[in-house]
Amino acid sequence: MQAAPVRAHARPSVTTALRAVESLLLSGGQRTARRNAWTAVLEDRRRAKDRVEVQHVLDAVADHRS
């Protein structure tokens, strides 16, 4: 019985494949703008999560003092 052949190259991830397609379709400035926009979305989500966590802490403190 023979072992399966070892691949010399790993399969590209979905992210790698999407970036390759993106580089073919968009100019550098558009890629940068899209990535900056996505970074802003992620940062907004992080801030929203932080606000919810702070609100829970404030509510707990207010309930404790009542």
Side-chain angles (χ1 to χ4, degrees):
M1 190 165 163
Q2 215 172 9
V6 177
R7 293 179 192 221
H9 302 285
R11 288 186 182 173
S13 68
V14 172
T15 303
T16 303
L18 288 175
R19 287 190 187 222
V21 170
E22 175 189 61
S23 68
L24 292 172
L25 298 177
L26 300 176
S27 70
Q30 289 173 322
R31 274 196 312 269
T32 301
R34 187 193 61 78
R35 287 189 184 143
N36 287 346
W38 184 243
T39 300
V41 167
L42 295 176
E43 185 63 21
D44 287 346
R45 288 178 181 175
R46 186 194 62 76
R47 282 194 300 268
K49 181 181 171 190
D50 289 348
R51 279 193 302 273
V52 168
E53 290 175 3
V54 167
Q55 188 61 52
H56 287 306
V57 170
L58 292 174
D59 291 345
V61 168
D63 289 344
H64 182 69
R65 289 184 173 195
S66 300

